[in-house]
Amino acid sequence: MNMEEKILSLMRELSYKPMSVTELQRALDIGEDEREAFLTLLRDMEDKGLVVRTRTHRYGVPERMNLLVGRLQMKQRGFGFVIPDRPGIPDLYVHAGDLAGAMHGDRVVARIHRRHGDRPEGEVIRILERGLHTVVGTFQSMRHYGFVRPDDRRIPVDVFIAPDDVGGAEDGDKVVVEITVYPGRTTSCQGRVVEVLGRPGDPGVDVLAVVRKYELPEAFPDEVLAEAEAVPDAVRDEDLAGRRDLRQRAMVTIDGEDAKDLDDAVSLERLPGGNWLLGVHIADVSYYVREGSALDEEAFRRGCSVYLVDRVIPMLPPRLSNGICSLNPQVDRLAMTCEMEWTPDLRLVRHDIYPSVIRTRERMTYTAVRRILTENVPELIERYEPLVPMFRDMRELALELRRRRLRRGAVDFHFDETKVILDESGRPVDIVRKPQTIAEQIIEEFMLAANETVAEYFQKLDVPFLYRVHEDPDPEKIEGFKEFIWNLGYVLRTKRGRAEPRALQDILDQVRGKPEERVVNTILLRSMRQARYSHEGLGHFGLAAEFYTHFTSPIRRYPDLVIHRVIREWLAHGALPAAKESRWRAEMPRIADQSSERERVAVDAERESQDLKKVEFMLDKIGETFEGIVSGATSFGLFVELENSVEGLVHISYLTDDYYLFDDRQFALIGERTGRTFRIGDRVKVLVAGADKEERAIDFRLVEETGDGVERDGSRVQDLRPAAGSGGRSRRKKAAARAAARSSRAGGAGPAGGVARAAEASPVGRTAREAPGMREPVLVGDAVTPAKKKRGHAGTAKKGKAKRQGKRRR
């Protein structure tokens, strides 16, 4: 146990009370000659938020002092949540007036004031680390100064720009601003323009703004490129020492058509006794990227490759990722192989992990393999004739592995991937869904099998390692999901708020092929915790796997690269040298945290670049009608997702045939008078009313048929035929009555939950924004806006506002 661990262990003892430096020295038996080093360590731990120093200069751990350390996540309306560093602790709500100058992304120390149920509330008392150093936004020129309005609406303040710091920007330019003065209780946010990206409508500026917003590093430092240039272009004889030669084994890569970084190859043989011999061969990147090198440091900083809508920002220089490390066909490549022998009834009887040299036969695509296996295309079968029997065997084994995984209780979500097709100038011309086919399933199942095998082997060896973990869902969210699907007619069995993966998979099986399938999948996914990296093997809930890691993509994920190093060292010596084991045990938590954080940044950037292009795609569709499905219901309207995955908002002010009340238990808007119900999963027809690329918002209006079959804008049709989701089962009618009764008791504010919980109910990755100041009920008749309510409802609206504000603080 090192000194940091000893300090933390002491401070976490129940009998511990905050001590001064001298008292800590005495308790830990630290001599005077070690005092300076001890003080330096304490200061470092304080900077990291591991310990807190009080006003009387005494030290303790945050959790014992009613404090919380975490990352601040702001919301558009000015308040925020502190996401704790330590998993399993509830997020802390922070009012806009209690931020003490903290901004979105900052790592902070917050004091917990009071709790409402399981939701704590508090205030920021110290900023440990700034999360934002630059801001991307639109420059607006004034007479004697300028300011930048941030693109990220989670930054609720404009950045003041002095005349000398304009940097050549003109009014309306998209710019990057370096923050020079952070906002405080008495100071505004100030900065200087460091880069002018261009005019908002110019080709490529939108995605470049995303790159700058998330501070994604495009160019590699010179020393990194120099190291990459020093790597040989081909495998040399001296590189083969200690490797098994698999160059005669039939193996292929199977990837998308546009993939260039091919980091996994697969092989499959039927052994004489009937067993399967599955080989998963992964690019041996760790052989070329040595620990502590400039290449390694840059890969750690990036964490992973980022796949934006029009470009890839790789973790490693292309010379490596697309060159010597990529398992290109018909050339020698170094690999790390995981070989698994399965019986026909899928018992793993042996496995072997070793360094190898391979030569793939073909660079296969998902499309080609799918067409061979499902369409029996003669030209493809003839072209790849020697490999076709192996592909058919792969299909058989993959489907058996998948059935085995589902039997043990894995949760198998059904989401089609979408791809935005761009023209040469970067403008979107189409959006297509890419359903998962048997070809993708083959690679998925084989990679899962290898990841589990490697994780189990090294977890039982108890060596320093990185794992991919997915903890059990929050019981409160599972109860919310349980109530939601009950209103759709499905029953989820739980025990003390906990649902087994198998029970959740049963629900997904029941909704498959039904209109509500996508939304049930979405709501369940949001009810789960986010998978992350950890130095502890905590298992993977979604996969129902006791052991799981990421071993299969070292070209584009840093954790995979790290565990390849551990594997190499173990295989070379039969055990880890003491010095390396000690160092890696200390380093793995830091690597896990960094990798998890960089992964979240990549996901957000990728999603935002897609959303930008989806909004741009709809700009010339204004006035057109589409069929879609209600993908979210909130107190301010309905989110509708079209077949091409584009999502927009039907604002509640357009629903003028009744007062509509939001029932957060059913995720539905229910008409107070008519009982007309719009719920998640209902099919509707919408007209594109507007698209705002700056706000990343698409506005829809409902289109319905009158009795004569003529389509009309739903906001102006008074005598409407019931649309999809209007009434229906008796359970829905009873639910509408319950919601109306609850709303009446709450003074017309709608069911418990209000705006705060409505925002949580909206699916991840919303492109539309919540309009401020909107009220929940909308009057029947002429298309009134929320500001034009009748006098008889004024008191109700005020009560509703007060109740919602109180709920937001909870």
Side-chain angles (χ1 to χ4, degrees), residues 467-469 531-535 550 557 559-560 592 595-596 599:
Y467 300 94
R468 183 68 169 177
V469 302
R532 61 185 178 88
Y533 294 103
S534 174
H535 65 290
H550 272 172
R557 293 190 305 229
D560 306 53
S595 300
S596 297
E599 178 190 45

Side-chain angles (χ1 to χ4, degrees), residues 183 204 333 373 603 646 663 708:
R333 287 292 184 259
L373 294 177
V603 168
V646 168
D663 186 334
D708 57 5

Side-chain angles (χ1 to χ4, degrees), residues 237-275:
D237 289 341
E238 56 263 37
D239 300 327
L240 306 183
R243 296 181 179 274
R244 297 190 199 178
D245 191 341
L246 305 182
R247 286 175 287 190
Q248 299 307 311
R249 185 179 296 189
M251 64 179 69
V252 296
T253 59
I254 307 177
D255 292 274
E257 279 81 356
D258 54 355
K260 296 178 181 178
D261 49 352
L262 314 179
D263 51 11
D264 57 84
V266 289
S267 61
L268 184 64
E269 302 174 31
R270 280 188 184 268
L271 300 178
N275 286 357

Side-chain angles (χ1 to χ4, degrees), residues 441-706:
Q441 288 181 18
I442 286 172
I443 294 302
E444 179 184 17
E445 295 303 329
F446 290 178
M447 298 305 115
L448 290 174
N451 286 334
E452 288 187 47
T453 300
V454 170
E456 181 175 4
Y457 182 68
F458 283 94
Q459 189 166 337
K460 289 181 176 178
L461 288 176
D462 191 28
V463 298
F465 217 63
L466 287 174
Y467 300 94
R468 183 68 169 177
V469 302
H470 186 217
E471 290 131 313
D472 289 2
D474 185 307
E476 183 181 343
K477 290 188 176 181
I478 286 296
E479 284 300 313
F481 174 74
K482 180 179 179 180
E483 184 167 358
F484 163 66
I485 61 171
W486 183 87
N487 286 296
L488 294 177
Y490 303 100
V491 177
L492 172 66
R493 302 193 181 280
T494 59
K495 187 175 182 181
R496 297 176 183 173
R498 187 182 186 278
E500 294 293 333
R502 192 187 312 276
L504 297 175
Q505 182 57 45
D506 287 343
I507 296 296
L508 297 183
D509 289 339
Q510 292 177 52
V511 301
R512 186 168 301 157
K514 297 180 180 177
E516 60 266 29
E517 176 184 7
R518 181 170 179 81
V519 230
V520 169
N521 274 266
T522 299
I523 300 298
L524 176 56
L525 183 62
R526 287 207 321 272
S527 301
M528 294 205 174
R529 299 188 195 273
Q530 192 172 31
R532 61 185 178 88
Y533 294 103
S534 174
H535 65 290
E536 299 176 288
L538 305 176
H540 198 291
F541 177 86
L543 295 173
E546 185 179 356
F547 311 98
Y548 196 66
T549 190
H550 272 172
F551 161 77
T552 53
S553 295
I555 290 179
R556 59 185 179 90
R557 293 190 305 229
Y558 191 74
D560 306 53
L561 173 60
V562 170
I563 68 171
H564 274 226
R565 286 195 185 116
V566 177
I567 292 170
R568 170 189 305 285
E569 202 69 35
W570 177 268
L571 293 175
H573 301 96
L576 295 182
K580 283 198 172 183
E581 179 170 359
S582 176
R583 186 176 75 252
W584 278 342
R585 283 201 189 278
E587 283 291 303
M588 289 304 180
R590 182 176 73 96
I591 296 172
D593 290 344
Q594 163 74 358
S595 300
S596 297
E597 183 177 334
R598 295 308 302 170
E599 178 190 45
R600 288 191 291 270
V601 169
V603 168
D604 288 345
E606 290 166 2
R607 181 183 296 133
E608 186 164 327
S609 72
Q610 289 267 348
D611 289 345
L612 276 170
K613 293 302 181 182
K614 287 180 179 180
V615 176
E616 185 178 352
F617 179 73
M618 299 301 290
L619 284 173
D620 61 355
K621 308 293 187 298
I622 294 174
E624 296 183 23
T625 58
F626 297 87
E627 289 192 354
I629 187 171
V630 176
S631 56
T634 75
S635 60
F636 54 86
L638 301 169
F639 286 99
V640 176
E641 182 178 322
L642 308 184
E643 287 298 321
N644 61 7
S645 80
V646 168
E647 188 177 59
L649 174 69
V650 178
H651 197 271
I652 197 167
S653 59
Y654 292 147
L655 303 177
T656 59
D657 63 327
D658 201 347
Y659 284 102
Y660 280 87
L661 307 167
F662 174 55
D663 186 334
D664 64 342
R665 298 178 183 176
Q666 298 186 71
F667 293 93
L669 283 176
I670 302 173
E672 186 179 38
R673 177 179 57 83
T674 62
R676 186 184 187 197
T677 302
F678 293 97
R679 70 174 71 246
I680 289 180
D682 288 342
R683 291 199 169 274
V684 294
K685 184 171 286 189
V686 294
L687 176 143
V688 182
D692 188 334
K693 193 175 177 183
E694 189 72 17
E695 296 284 348
R696 286 182 283 284
I698 299 171
D699 295 323
F700 289 152
R701 300 177 85 164
L702 286 181
V703 171
E704 302 181 274
E705 291 183 0
T706 59

Side-chain angles (χ1 to χ4, degrees), residues 394-421:
M394 285 180 173
R395 172 177 58 186
E396 182 180 344
L397 177 59
L399 291 176
E400 285 299 322
L401 285 170
R402 184 175 184 276
R403 281 190 282 268
R404 170 179 169 269
R405 182 166 57 85
L406 295 180
R407 279 197 302 270
R408 78 184 184 198
V411 184
D412 190 36
F413 291 101
H414 295 274
F415 291 108
D416 291 341
E417 183 183 347
T418 60
K419 182 177 178 64
V420 181
I421 308 299

Side-chain angles (χ1 to χ4, degrees), residues 1 9 20 56 115 126 155 186 206 233 255 269 309 336 341 371 409 422 459 469 494 497 518 535 576 699 704 755 809:
M1 183 182 296
S9 178
S20 65
T56 57
R115 297 177 182 271
R126 185 179 174 190
I155 305 173
T186 59
D206 50 0
D233 289 325
D255 292 274
E269 302 174 31
V309 67
M336 190 69 74
E341 183 178 342
R371 298 188 70 197
L422 307 178
Q459 189 166 337
V469 302
T494 59
R518 181 170 179 81
H535 65 290
L576 295 182
D699 295 323
E704 302 181 274
V755 176
R809 292 184 65 82

